[in-house]
Amino acid sequence: MGGERKVYTLAEVSQHNHAKDCWLVIEGKVFDVTKFLEDHPGGDDVLLSSTGKDATDDFEDVGHSSSARAMMDEFYVGDIDTSAIPSKRKYTPPKQPHYEQDKTSEFVIKLLQFLVPLLILGLAFGVRSYTKTPASS
């Protein structure tokens, strides 16, 4: 190849998205994993579901061994045009309403207003049935 590396756009790589022609983008490099689909320990569906996008996170989440990483060299076909990959958005959690502790004591009072009468009623029935004398035969 004369030392020059082929650079692909994400659109070009995305066209290789089926079992007879499967390319992945991992860590800025493009890999043709078509011949490896049948041998992949996780099955071909795992690889096919990672086509058409930057699959680096998918690859890293699994925790591949060093031998698996070394094996990737034989499937390398070029680099990805990094300007073609959408930038990752940083997760921003939704804003939560301010927690007011005063409402907590109000909730406890309402809960007790409901439970205490039930407890008294249950206790009254328990005492009544305990003290009731059996009918003579």
Side-chain angles (χ1 to χ4, degrees):
M1 274 180 71
E4 285 189 37
R5 294 180 177 188
K6 175 79 172 146
V7 178
Y8 298 94
T9 65
L10 187 60
E12 289 174 314
V13 175
S14 296
Q15 295 173 0
H16 305 273
N17 60 1
H18 49 86
K20 294 189 186 285
D21 186 22
C22 181
W23 289 18
L24 297 178
V25 176
I26 300 172
E27 295 177 354
K29 297 179 180 178
V30 179
F31 300 93
D32 180 354
V33 295
T34 309
K35 294 178 183 175
F36 186 64
L37 288 176
E38 291 181 16
D39 297 328
H40 186 259
D44 61 351
D45 288 340
V46 174
L47 297 176
L48 290 168
S49 68
S50 296
T51 61
K53 64 177 183 174
D54 183 354
T56 303
D57 289 341
D58 296 343
F59 182 80
E60 294 298 335
D61 287 347
V62 175
H64 287 88
S65 65
S66 56
S67 60
R69 291 177 185 277
M71 186 186 293
M72 292 172 60
D73 290 339
E74 70 181 88
F75 302 111
Y76 174 79
V77 293
D79 293 321
I80 190 75
D81 178 7
T82 53
S83 65
I85 297 179
S87 61
K88 293 180 184 176
R89 294 183 182 179
K90 184 179 175 188
Y91 174 73
T92 306
K95 294 190 180 202
Q96 298 292 326
H98 181 66
Y99 175 72
E100 295 182 30
Q101 193 166 358
D102 297 339
K103 289 187 176 182
T104 303
S105 60
E106 186 178 313
F107 171 75
V108 170
I109 291 170
K110 287 186 179 186
L111 185 64
L112 288 174
Q113 286 175 341
F114 176 74
L115 291 178
V116 169
L118 285 177
L119 183 62
I120 293 171
L121 188 61
L123 189 60
F125 278 115
V127 169
R128 182 176 170 205
S129 65
Y130 181 76
T131 59
K132 210 176 208 183
T133 55
S136 54
S137 311

